[in-house]
Amino acid sequence: MKATRRQVLKAGLAASTVFSPLAISLAQSRPLKMAVLYPLTGPFAFAGQAGLEGLRDATDYFNEVRGGVGGRKVELIVEDTGYDVSRGTAAFNRIISREREDELLFVYGDSTGLSKALAPEIARLQLPYTATSFSTELADPKTYPTIFVFGPTYNDMMAALLQQIRRTKGKAKVALVYSNSEFGKDPIPYVKEQAPKLGMEIVAEEVTPLAVPDATALALKLRQANPDFVICHGYVLTVEPVLLRAAREQGMKSIFMGTYYSAELALMQRAGAAADGFIVAYHNPYWYDNLAAGIDQLKKFRASKGKDNSYKTTYYVGAYTSCSAIWEAYRRAGAAGKLNRAGVVESLNNMGDWDTGGLIRSMRFVNHRLPYTKLYRANVKSGRFDAITDWVTLA
């Protein structure tokens, strides 16, 4: 069909509008975004709220000090999940349906369960993604090429703890205590497979809800098993303090251990003397770490804004570290002329040269996770965790 003169003029006007300097300027002025699906209510709200503060500080620092991405601001889009997979999934769908693909370049989820639920859609959309989770299953670039774990996986953390057990007592008896959640169950098959190979015996396996008000019965079961070591996993200080108190009241002498989400000072504040000697795998600096330039830099930035610099939790530091790295990936993608989702993934895959300021050992991903951790021991007298190893590389 032959086009009329009016149709040709309309098409030309539309094309000139799309490619006009004004349209290009507007596109370049729009903020670049990251969606945040966080548990701001529910059982882990205290961790989610602390983490969100870290994300916001990282965003402010990147915009105000580093100038954003070629002058474009970065922005967080925050939704509360309540640590509920269905709520998190609904929030994700809302965000994806309304946000522009050229602006929303990353999603930050809240849990192992939510991450596994979203993984197929994340893969379909080729959407860069991370989470508060350190799920072993998700650190698989062949299956999930756009998902990154900003730390060691739960299997890696368990490997570090098993190494410590072997150094302390070769043929040890080990008990496992974990939550009945995707988070809690994630590394258990690995531990049960590896422990016998290292000469250890699993003498008890106790599965609990995410939180328990009283751990007396649980401690009695553990005392009967008489383990040398008890590894706790799948909690955010919702079981560990009450279990430690109950275990010491029962006269247990076992050494208790935990992974990343047990590594917070509140463990000692809640469990008191019973927490002394608790060993954790943790991969970021503590707020009181004077050797971490990244923490010092952050404190100065907060002070310049009149913010309180009293102790910030591990959840805050971890979120700040991850968010800072994500914004750096945006900056690098922009500098390379690839400011899109694929460009951010490419940048993250080549972040090994980025100076983290001691916020983590290295940003060199191995199979899309950062396989570096340290072991710390709770010192109730000082109220701090003391490092008992240097960096442990698990790859």
Side-chain angles (χ1 to χ4, degrees):
M1 184 175 70
K2 186 176 180 180
T4 66
R5 181 173 180 274
R6 177 175 294 179
Q7 288 170 327
V8 170
L9 288 172
K10 285 179 69 177
L13 179 60
S16 67
T17 300
V18 170
F19 298 108
S20 71
L22 176 60
I24 294 171
S25 176
L26 288 172
Q28 291 176 339
S29 67
R30 289 196 297 263
L32 296 162
K33 302 175 182 179
M34 177 170 69
V36 178
L37 310 173
Y38 253 32
L40 304 178
T41 56
F44 298 153
F46 63 97
Q49 290 166 5
L52 181 58
E53 184 184 5
L55 297 179
R56 286 175 169 158
D57 277 353
T59 302
D60 288 345
Y61 184 87
F62 187 77
N63 283 330
E64 297 173 24
V65 177
R66 304 200 63 200
V69 181
R72 290 179 71 176
K73 299 292 186 183
V74 293
E75 178 181 294
L76 301 174
I77 305 168
V78 181
E79 292 264 4
D80 176 23
T81 67
Y83 201 76
D84 180 86
V85 172
S86 60
R87 282 181 63 182
T89 302
F92 173 83
N93 289 333
R94 284 196 301 272
I95 290 170
I96 291 300
S97 67
R98 74 168 183 257
E99 296 297 333
R100 295 171 56 104
E101 184 176 335
D102 60 344
E103 294 179 12
L104 179 66
L105 305 184
F106 209 99
V107 173
Y108 199 137
D110 80 342
S111 66
T112 300
L114 178 62
S115 298
K116 289 182 178 180
L118 296 181
E121 187 67 1
I122 292 291
R124 185 186 72 80
L125 295 170
Q126 292 294 286
L127 181 58
Y129 179 91
T130 194
T132 57
S133 167
F134 301 101
S135 169
T136 304
E137 180 181 322
L138 297 177
D140 179 0
K142 291 182 180 179
T143 307
Y144 305 118
T146 66
I147 296 180
F148 293 83
V149 175
F150 281 76
T153 63
Y154 295 128
N155 278 10
D156 291 330
M157 297 177 200
M158 289 295 187
L161 293 176
L162 291 176
Q163 288 178 20
Q164 177 66 16
I165 292 173
R166 192 176 190 187
R167 284 191 295 268
T168 306
K169 184 174 183 177
K171 295 186 179 298
K173 295 184 294 181
V174 179
L176 303 176
V177 179
Y178 58 95
S179 65
N180 186 23
S181 65
E182 292 285 349
F183 171 23
K185 293 181 285 188
D186 186 289
I188 301 306
Y190 173 84
V191 178
K192 292 166 74 172
E193 175 190 344
Q194 292 298 313
K197 294 179 181 179
L198 297 171
M200 302 169 196
E201 180 186 1
I202 304 296
V203 295
E205 183 177 350
E206 299 295 335
V207 187
T208 78
L210 283 169
V212 297
D214 182 85
T216 302
L218 177 58
L220 283 169
K221 289 182 181 180
L222 291 174
R223 189 182 70 174
Q224 291 170 359
N226 193 30
D228 300 302
F229 296 85
V230 178
I231 301 177
C232 303
H233 176 73
Y235 312 106
V236 186
L237 304 186
T238 47
V239 167
E240 304 97 307
V242 291
L243 174 56
L244 285 169
R245 289 198 304 269
R248 298 315 182 204
E249 288 169 1
Q250 295 295 328
M252 287 187 65
K253 303 298 183 184
S254 308
I255 296 174
F256 281 75
M257 304 174 123
T259 49
Y260 184 87
Y261 284 105
S262 297
E264 176 49 48
L265 299 194
L267 175 75
M268 289 177 270
Q269 295 161 2
R270 297 177 187 180
D276 203 49
F278 191 98
I279 294 173
V280 293
Y282 177 65
H283 57 265
N284 298 123
Y286 283 94
W287 191 249
Y288 49 77
D289 187 346
N290 295 324
L291 298 178
I295 294 292
D296 184 58
Q297 172 183 279
L298 174 55
K299 288 178 178 178
K300 289 177 180 176
F301 176 68
R302 286 179 58 88
S304 73
K305 297 175 71 68
K307 290 187 174 182
D308 175 27
N309 262 334
S310 59
Y311 176 78
K312 297 299 173 188
T313 67
T314 52
Y315 320 124
Y316 168 97
V317 175
Y320 176 86
T321 301
S322 300
C323 191
S324 297
I326 292 164
W327 295 146
E328 171 64 11
Y330 277 38
R331 187 198 67 76
R332 292 184 176 208
K338 300 177 181 179
L339 193 50
N340 51 42
R341 293 174 179 178
V344 171
V345 170
E346 183 179 331
S347 294
L348 285 170
N349 277 320
N350 294 282
M351 286 276 283
D353 64 337
W354 187 53
D355 182 359
T356 70
L359 295 174
I360 194 167
R361 173 68 179 85
S362 170
M363 278 299 299
R364 185 180 69 86
F365 284 97
V366 180
N367 292 330
H368 279 205
R369 96 276 197 207
L370 301 172
Y372 322 104
T373 194
K374 288 184 179 181
L375 296 184
Y376 293 80
R377 181 182 287 117
N379 183 335
V380 171
K381 185 176 180 180
S382 67
R384 296 183 174 188
F385 280 93
D386 299 328
I388 58 174
T389 69
D390 200 342
W391 285 105
V392 179
T393 300
L394 299 150

